[in-house]
Amino acid sequence: MLEIDNQTVTVRGNTLTIEEVVRVARHYRVVELSEESCRKVARTREYVEKLLLEKKVVYGLTTGFGKFSDTYISPEDTRQLQLNLIRSHACGIGAPFPEEVVRAILLLRVNALALGYSGIRLEVIRLMVEMLNRNVVPVIPEKGSLGASGDLAPLSHMVLVLIGEGEASYQGVRMPGGQALAQAGLAPIELAAKEGLALINGTQVMTAVGTLACRDAQQLANWADCTAALTCEALRAVRDVFDPQTHIVRPHQGQRQAADNIRSLTSGSRLMTGQGEVRVQDAYSLRCAPQVHGASRDALAYIAGKLEIEINSATDNPLIFADEEKVISGGNFHGQPVALPMDHLSIAAAELADIAERRIERLVNPQLNEGLPPFLTKNGGLQSGFMIAQYAAAAVVSENKSLAHPASVDSIPSSGNQEDHVSMGTIGARKARQIVDNAYAVLAIELLCGAQGADFRGPELLAPGTRWLYDRCRERVPLVDGDRVLSGDFSVIAEWMKGAGVLEELFAQIPFHA
């Protein structure tokens, strides 16, 4: 059953936020077009019709595409040209994107077209809006985009459904695209001049994947501070390193936020120690948590800023400026402005998992865990406890290192060398999404290990903030008092962490930079 959000997102082309994208993609918020956008779209389409009547040579209107840009197409063939474009470009490969990603793609494409620089008819955009509101979800294969001439292949699969072809899901059932439209009470459209190109020239696939991954990574950064705080208590860490004085003199915003968060979470703890009480200083995975987490926080703030610009940009080619009666064939479809942030997102998320795995090692290793039982089990030898939990975390972290290799440094020329530099931004976004998901698994393992350590230390000695984490964890996963299959426990905690609004109760109790 759909979780309907009855609030409405009004699409204007230049005001959409990451949070609104998330609400539409995941929580089915209703979408509507602003009246101003409708006027702009209609005005630009009038100018396109004028160019067609005058038989002007305009890329994508009266010419072929890519290497065929110098080939003139007669007005009577323009509709066939658009249809051929979509069919020939629907070359996607692999498993389909999740429903939430496709819904985000549809929304972002609607938003870009609503700016009124694409020359598309208003009725086409309205069909896409209704597909969102009635949850007709095109089946779009994940692979096949170079991220340069727009996300051509995946967006073509989206457009197939608009014309009654391809495949879509409706009410959770996969079926032919025309059937999905009919069951939702919608009719397919016939593409007119410029419309096929307008629908597939853009970065909306990489941006949709990246937007959802970035939002999840921002939540991941909050969880990283939480799991680190619980680990600090379980390992009786030195509290002095979170003193604001240290972080004021190196005033990176993310570092200060992470230090403040861990300090708030551990405030009132009877397990944390002062400098020199148990040891003078901790290992880097504890002592430098604010610096490492903070760098990822700063990266995510930068990435989110770039995504919000891209979300509200015109990425079509050619762009049509009806008021100036000008058509410019440029390169706004190139994904480089998103590709570089996506590679940065991969690194930022991978590092949150990387340092968390080192904290897991300290929790389970009897040479490092300051009196906790080996591998957090009372019956070591007969039982293995969390020994292989650390293996699993290490395996995922190692996988992330491979995935974090930047996609944007690669380029393969295409279209007869006309498109001779590409961004690979969609590949970068997909890799970032996988890394974020892997990182949640690692933090779930750290949280479970931290809770197990707290059980041995005494949960009553925890600070209020970390006690909240411990209690919520134990509501879902009981103490591991004998060897059992842990895989399901990891999954339960990871999925709980990903849930919307999970940490809001905690944030209401303690100061926290979310």
Side-chain angles (χ1 to χ4, degrees), residues 20-209:
E20 286 176 324
V21 174
V22 172
R23 298 300 294 174
V24 170
R26 292 178 172 164
H27 306 293
Y28 305 93
R29 181 171 283 189
V30 174
V31 176
E32 66 178 10
L33 284 170
S34 72
E35 292 183 8
E36 179 62 21
S37 288
C38 292
R39 284 193 292 270
K40 288 179 181 178
V41 168
R43 167 74 183 95
T44 305
R45 186 63 199 181
E46 288 174 7
Y47 180 56
V48 167
E49 299 291 349
K50 176 174 179 287
L51 292 172
L52 290 168
L53 284 173
E54 296 172 353
K55 297 185 178 181
K56 298 285 187 181
V57 177
V58 177
Y59 175 69
L61 270 75
T62 55
T63 74
F65 310 105
K67 192 65 175 176
F68 294 127
S69 60
D70 294 326
T71 302
Y72 179 74
I73 306 295
S74 65
E76 55 268 23
D77 288 332
T78 54
R79 286 181 179 267
Q80 188 63 47
L81 172 69
Q82 301 303 312
L83 183 59
N84 291 346
L85 172 71
I86 299 306
R87 287 173 173 168
S88 67
H89 283 47
C91 292
I93 300 167
F97 280 114
E99 177 182 294
E100 64 176 30
V101 171
V102 178
R103 288 181 56 82
I105 292 168
L106 274 167
L107 175 64
L108 296 187
R109 201 74 201 106
V110 166
N111 196 56
L113 295 169
L115 283 165
Y117 297 114
S118 297
I120 197 168
R121 289 172 298 163
L122 186 57
E123 62 202 75
V124 180
I125 306 176
R126 282 179 169 154
L127 175 58
M128 296 169 70
V129 169
E130 285 306 309
M131 286 171 63
L132 275 170
N133 290 341
R134 303 184 196 194
N135 203 36
V136 176
V137 183
V139 174
I140 302 178
E142 286 188 321
K143 301 175 185 178
S145 176
L146 294 173
S149 303
D151 284 308
L152 295 175
L155 287 173
S156 294
H157 285 272
M158 178 196 77
V159 182
L160 283 175
V161 178
L162 272 69
I163 62 176
E165 299 182 12
E167 289 186 290
S169 69
Y170 178 64
Q171 294 184 344
V173 179
R174 184 166 169 170
M175 62 187 73
Q179 182 181 340
L181 289 177
Q183 289 198 14
L186 301 171
I189 49 94
E190 182 182 1
L191 296 173
K194 177 63 168 67
E195 291 184 331
L197 188 62
L199 286 163
I200 67 174
N201 239 188
T203 61
Q204 282 68 45
V205 174
M206 69 180 78
T207 308
V209 176

Side-chain angles (χ1 to χ4, degrees), residues 234-235 357-392 394 445-446 448-457 474 479-484 486 490:
L235 293 175
E357 184 278 328
R358 289 293 80 200
R359 292 193 295 262
I360 293 167
E361 168 66 8
R362 302 197 77 80
L363 283 163
V364 302
N365 189 330
Q367 296 180 335
L368 303 172
N369 66 10
E370 299 291 341
L372 292 173
F375 305 106
L376 301 174
T377 181
K378 289 183 287 188
N379 299 304
L382 177 63
Q383 297 179 349
S384 295
F386 282 83
M387 180 189 295
I388 308 304
Q390 184 270 327
Y391 279 44
I445 293 172
E446 184 185 8
L448 285 170
C449 288
Q452 189 82 358
D455 280 310
F456 286 110
R457 298 290 191 199
R474 283 287 170 255
L479 169 73
V480 180
D481 57 1
D483 280 352
R484 65 173 189 248
L486 294 175
F490 301 161

